[in-house]
Amino acid sequence: MEMMENTSFEKIEEWSLHCCCSFYGNLCGLDEARKLVNNGLVLITLGGNDFVNNYFLTPVTARRLQFNLPDYTTFLISEYKKILQRLYVLGARRVLVTGTGPLGCVPGELAFRSTDGTCAPEPQLAAQLYNPKLVAMLKELNKELNTDTFVAANAMSRQNDFLSNPLAFGFSQTRVACCGQGPFNGVGLCTRFSFLCPDRQNYVFWDAYHPTEQANRMIVQTIYNGTIEHMDPMNLQTIINMGFLY
């Protein structure tokens, strides 16, 4: 998710939840509609596009001129905290929050920043700085609200496992995308004219930036029953077992 300067994410979310309450309110009443929102599961992914399509988009960007990398990660965290606070005000009570993957190791970054498949240092540093700050912010926010509403899903940790020990997860290709073109199949979009691998289950990455279905299945499994290393303070199975809040 990218923070668009001309689009208020908070207004979009408020409109979406308002429409949800209005729709269900007409069916079962406003109180029941609020319960549906309270008991709903929200999954929000924060950070990746703000680096890939903003800070690192070109060698010189407005954000690069405004912030050094550590300060930019701190800025993003402060802005995302406001978004999550707004979600809470609007009634969200079960929110899974994922940060970035290993940004420097995705084919889209390797294609332009690496010749031998070594992860690009600067985007990788961004992920290493950003994700721990995101987890810390979620813990702080839960403490402020006296709740466990916000759950940190450490997708980067699981993806790093794929890259460091691919055979253990059934992968043989960790750098080249299954669908794409150019170096590492990391240039441009996956289209009908792209090179398409015949054995996608062996690939970690589907296109320049996104995991394959096989990799996503393992990430989702980790979200469902992962340990505190990957899911803090609880995994999805625990949330489901808790039942309805209201």
Side-chain angles (χ1 to χ4, degrees):
M1 174 171 298
E2 183 176 2
M3 293 185 296
M4 301 294 209
E5 295 188 3
N6 296 323
T7 303
S8 170
F9 174 81
E10 293 92 336
K11 289 182 179 179
I12 293 173
E13 282 300 303
E14 185 169 3
W15 177 82
S16 299
L17 291 177
H18 173 74
C19 287
C20 177
C21 282
S22 296
F23 176 76
Y24 287 106
N26 290 333
L27 293 177
C28 57
L30 190 57
D31 288 341
E32 289 301 315
R34 287 198 182 100
K35 289 181 182 179
L36 284 172
V37 173
N38 291 155
N39 287 306
L41 181 66
V42 178
L43 173 62
I44 182 169
T45 300
L46 302 173
N49 286 340
D50 282 296
F51 291 109
V52 171
N53 293 325
N54 192 332
Y55 197 84
F56 295 124
L57 186 60
T58 60
V60 178
T61 63
R63 288 303 193 197
R64 277 183 179 271
L65 295 174
Q66 186 179 6
F67 296 104
N68 62 36
L69 188 53
D71 288 346
Y72 184 61
T73 60
T74 300
F75 166 73
L76 288 182
I77 294 299
S78 67
E79 292 300 301
Y80 282 137
K81 183 177 182 180
K82 297 173 188 176
I83 292 172
L84 296 177
Q85 287 172 322
R86 186 60 182 158
L87 280 177
Y88 187 85
V89 169
L90 293 171
R93 292 295 181 270
R94 290 171 163 170
V95 185
L96 300 181
V97 184
T98 69
T100 76
L103 295 177
C105 303
V106 299
E109 294 301 309
L110 297 181
F112 297 99
R113 300 173 184 270
S114 178
T115 57
D116 60 358
T118 303
C119 297
E122 197 176 22
Q124 194 67 355
L125 176 60
Q128 292 166 354
L129 291 171
Y130 172 81
N131 285 297
K133 290 182 182 181
L134 179 63
V135 173
M137 181 267 282
L138 296 176
K139 289 182 177 180
E140 176 185 86
L141 186 53
N142 280 336
K143 185 176 181 180
E144 290 173 2
L145 297 171
N146 192 28
T147 181
D148 284 330
T149 290
F150 300 100
V151 175
N154 191 345
M156 180 172 172
S157 176
R158 177 52 79 207
Q159 290 183 62
N160 280 337
D161 293 339
F162 299 160
L163 301 180
S164 62
N165 191 14
L167 294 180
F169 299 93
F171 298 117
S172 59
Q173 279 288 358
T174 62
R175 296 292 187 257
V176 178
C178 177
C179 184
Q181 46 278 315
F184 305 100
N185 264 359
V187 178
L189 302 175
C190 172
T191 72
R192 63 191 180 96
F193 301 108
S194 299
F195 170 80
L196 180 64
C197 71
D199 50 352
R200 66 190 70 181
Q201 71 276 4
N202 294 326
Y203 284 68
V204 172
F205 294 103
W206 164 249
D207 61 12
Y209 291 98
H210 303 101
T212 57
E213 180 179 352
Q214 183 76 357
N216 274 321
R217 284 179 181 274
M218 295 182 188
I219 292 170
V220 170
Q221 187 64 44
T222 300
I223 290 174
Y224 181 72
N225 60 10
T227 63
I228 195 71
E229 175 189 359
H230 297 104
M231 298 296 297
D232 191 353
M234 68 188 80
N235 57 36
L236 181 55
Q237 185 176 36
T238 300
I239 294 173
I240 293 172
N241 290 339
M242 289 167 62
F244 291 118
L245 294 173
Y246 307 103

